[in-house]
Coordinates of all heavy atoms in Angstrom, one line a residue:
V100 N 15.6 -8.1 22.2 CA 15.1 -8.8 21.1 C 15.1 -10.3 21.3 O 15.8 -10.8 22.2 CB 16.0 -8.4 19.8 CG1 15.8 -7.0 19.4 CG2 17.4 -8.8 20.0
K101 N 14.3 -11.0 20.5 CA 14.2 -12.4 20.6 C 14.3 -13.0 19.2 O 13.6 -12.7 18.2 CB 12.8 -12.7 21.2 CG 12.6 -14.2 21.5 CD 11.4 -14.4 22.4 CE 10.1 -14.4 21.5 NZ 8.9 -14.7 22.3
L102 N 15.2 -14.0 19.1 CA 15.4 -14.8 17.9 C 14.4 -15.9 17.9 O 13.9 -16.3 18.9 CB 16.8 -15.3 17.8 CG 17.9 -14.4 17.5 CD1 19.3 -15.0 17.9 CD2 17.9 -14.0 16.0
N103 N 14.2 -16.5 16.7 CA 13.3 -17.7 16.7 C 13.9 -18.7 15.7 O 14.4 -18.4 14.7 CB 11.9 -17.3 16.3 CG 11.0 -18.5 16.2 OD1 10.6 -18.9 15.1 ND2 10.7 -19.0 17.4
V104 N 13.7 -20.0 16.2 CA 14.0 -21.1 15.3 C 13.0 -22.2 15.6 O 12.5 -22.3 16.7 CB 15.5 -21.6 15.4 CG1 15.7 -22.2 16.8 CG2 15.8 -22.7 14.4
S105 N 12.6 -23.0 14.6 CA 11.7 -24.0 14.9 C 12.4 -25.4 15.1 O 13.4 -25.7 14.4 CB 10.7 -24.2 13.8 OG 9.7 -25.1 14.2
A106 N 11.9 -26.1 16.1 CA 12.4 -27.5 16.2 C 12.0 -28.4 15.1 O 12.6 -29.4 14.8 CB 11.9 -28.1 17.6
S107 N 11.0 -27.9 14.4 CA 10.5 -28.6 13.2 C 11.1 -28.1 11.9 O 11.1 -26.9 11.6 CB 9.0 -28.5 13.1 OG 8.5 -28.6 11.7
R108 N 11.8 -29.0 11.2 CA 12.5 -28.6 10.0 C 11.5 -28.0 9.0 O 11.8 -26.9 8.4 CB 13.1 -29.9 9.4 CG 13.9 -29.7 8.1 CD 14.8 -30.9 7.9 NE 15.7 -31.0 9.0 CZ 16.9 -30.5 9.0 NH1 17.3 -29.8 7.9 NH2 17.7 -30.5 10.0
E109 N 10.4 -28.6 8.8 CA 9.4 -28.1 7.8 C 8.8 -26.8 8.2 O 8.7 -25.9 7.4 CB 8.3 -29.2 7.7 CG 7.3 -28.9 6.6 CD 7.9 -28.9 5.2 OE1 8.9 -29.6 5.0 OE2 7.4 -28.2 4.3
H110 N 8.5 -26.6 9.5 CA 8.0 -25.3 10.0 C 9.0 -24.2 9.8 O 8.7 -23.1 9.3 CB 7.6 -25.4 11.5 CG 7.1 -24.2 12.1 ND1 7.6 -23.6 13.2 CD2 6.1 -23.3 11.6 CE1 6.9 -22.5 13.5 NE2 6.0 -22.3 12.5
N111 N 10.3 -24.5 10.0 CA 11.3 -23.5 9.9 C 11.5 -23.1 8.4 O 11.6 -21.9 8.1 CB 12.7 -24.0 10.4 CG 13.5 -22.9 10.9 OD1 13.2 -22.3 12.0 ND2 14.6 -22.6 10.2
L112 N 11.4 -24.1 7.5 CA 11.5 -23.8 6.1 C 10.3 -22.9 5.7 O 10.5 -21.9 5.0 CB 11.4 -25.1 5.3 CG 12.8 -25.8 5.3 CD1 12.6 -27.3 4.7 CD2 13.8 -25.1 4.4
R113 N 9.1 -23.2 6.1 CA 7.9 -22.4 5.7 C 7.9 -21.0 6.4 O 7.5 -20.1 5.8 CB 6.6 -23.2 6.2 CG 6.4 -24.4 5.3 CD 5.2 -25.2 5.8 NE 5.1 -26.4 5.1 CZ 4.1 -26.8 4.4 NH1 3.0 -26.0 4.3 NH2 4.1 -27.9 3.7
N114 N 8.3 -21.0 7.6 CA 8.3 -19.7 8.4 C 9.4 -18.8 8.1 O 9.2 -17.6 8.0 CB 8.3 -20.1 9.9 CG 7.8 -19.0 10.8 OD1 7.1 -18.1 10.4 ND2 8.2 -19.1 12.1
L115 N 10.6 -19.3 8.0 CA 11.8 -18.5 7.9 C 12.6 -18.8 6.6 O 13.6 -18.1 6.3 CB 12.8 -18.8 9.0 CG 12.2 -18.5 10.4 CD1 13.1 -19.1 11.5 CD2 12.0 -17.0 10.7
N116 N 12.1 -19.8 5.8 CA 12.7 -20.1 4.5 C 14.2 -20.6 4.6 O 15.0 -20.3 3.8 CB 12.7 -18.8 3.6 CG 12.7 -19.2 2.1 OD1 12.4 -20.4 1.8 ND2 13.0 -18.3 1.3
M117 N 14.4 -21.2 5.8 CA 15.8 -21.8 6.1 C 15.6 -23.1 6.8 O 14.6 -23.3 7.5 CB 16.5 -20.8 7.0 CG 17.1 -19.6 6.3 SD 18.1 -18.7 7.5 CE 17.0 -17.4 8.0
T118 N 16.6 -23.9 6.8 CA 16.6 -25.1 7.7 C 17.0 -24.5 9.1 O 17.6 -23.5 9.3 CB 17.7 -26.1 7.3 OG1 19.0 -25.5 7.5 CG2 17.5 -26.5 5.8
P119 N 16.6 -25.3 10.2 CA 17.0 -24.9 11.5 C 18.5 -24.7 11.7 O 18.9 -23.7 12.3 CB 16.5 -26.1 12.4 CG 15.4 -26.7 11.6 CD 15.8 -26.6 10.2
E120 N 19.3 -25.5 11.0 CA 20.8 -25.3 11.1 C 21.2 -24.0 10.5 O 22.1 -23.3 11.0 CB 21.5 -26.5 10.4 CG 21.4 -27.8 11.1 CD 20.0 -28.5 10.9 OE1 19.3 -28.1 10.0 OE2 19.8 -29.5 11.6
E121 N 20.6 -23.6 9.3 CA 20.9 -22.4 8.7 C 20.5 -21.2 9.6 O 21.3 -20.2 9.7 CB 20.2 -22.2 7.3 CG 20.9 -23.0 6.2 CD 20.0 -23.2 5.0 OE1 18.8 -22.9 5.0 OE2 20.6 -23.5 3.9
S122 N 19.4 -21.3 10.2 CA 18.9 -20.3 11.2 C 20.0 -20.1 12.3 O 20.4 -19.0 12.6 CB 17.6 -20.7 11.8 OG 16.5 -20.5 10.9
M123 N 20.4 -21.3 12.9 CA 21.3 -21.2 14.0 C 22.6 -20.7 13.6 O 23.3 -20.0 14.4 CB 21.4 -22.6 14.6 CG 20.1 -23.0 15.4 SD 20.2 -24.5 16.4 CE 19.9 -25.7 15.1
A124 N 23.1 -21.0 12.4 CA 24.4 -20.5 11.9 C 24.4 -18.9 11.9 O 25.5 -18.3 12.1 CB 24.7 -21.0 10.5
G125 N 23.2 -18.3 11.8 CA 23.2 -16.9 11.8 C 23.1 -16.2 13.1 O 23.2 -15.0 13.3
F126 N 22.9 -17.1 14.2 CA 22.8 -16.5 15.5 C 24.0 -15.7 16.0 O 23.9 -14.7 16.7 CB 22.5 -17.6 16.6 CG 21.1 -18.2 16.4 CD1 20.8 -19.4 17.1 CD2 20.2 -17.7 15.6 CE1 19.6 -20.0 17.0 CE2 18.9 -18.2 15.5 CZ 18.6 -19.4 16.2
V127 N 25.2 -16.2 15.7 CA 26.4 -15.7 16.2 C 26.5 -14.2 15.9 O 26.8 -13.4 16.8 CB 27.7 -16.4 15.6 CG1 29.0 -15.9 16.3 CG2 27.5 -17.9 15.7
D128 N 26.3 -13.8 14.6 CA 26.4 -12.4 14.2 C 25.3 -11.6 14.9 O 25.6 -10.4 15.2 CB 26.2 -12.3 12.6 CG 27.4 -12.9 11.9 OD1 28.5 -13.1 12.6 OD2 27.3 -13.2 10.7
C129 N 24.1 -12.2 15.0 CA 23.0 -11.4 15.7 C 23.4 -11.1 17.2 O 23.2 -10.0 17.6 CB 21.7 -12.2 15.7 SG 21.1 -12.5 14.1
V130 N 24.0 -12.1 17.8 CA 24.4 -11.9 19.2 C 25.5 -10.8 19.3 O 25.4 -9.9 20.2 CB 24.9 -13.2 19.9 CG1 25.4 -13.0 21.3 CG2 23.7 -14.2 20.0
K131 N 26.5 -10.9 18.4 CA 27.6 -10.0 18.4 C 27.0 -8.5 18.2 O 27.4 -7.6 18.9 CB 28.6 -10.3 17.3 CG 29.6 -9.3 17.1 CD 31.0 -9.9 17.2 CE 32.1 -8.8 17.3 NZ 31.8 -7.4 17.3
A132 N 26.2 -8.4 17.2 CA 25.6 -7.1 16.9 C 24.8 -6.5 18.0 O 24.8 -5.4 18.3 CB 24.8 -7.1 15.6
A133 N 24.0 -7.4 18.7 CA 23.2 -7.0 19.8 C 24.1 -6.5 20.9 O 23.8 -5.4 21.5 CB 22.3 -8.2 20.3

Side-chain angles (χ1 to χ4, degrees):
V100 295
K101 189 169 77 174
L102 286 163
N103 179 250
V104 64
S105 187
S107 154
R108 181 164 296 273
E109 187 63 28
H110 179 231
N111 210 70
L112 283 167
R113 287 173 188 239
N114 196 21
L115 302 167
N116 208 17
M117 282 185 261
T118 66
E120 290 79 12
E121 284 168 340
S122 284
M123 287 188 276
F126 289 169
V127 187
D128 290 343
C129 294
V130 173
K131 169 124 192 8

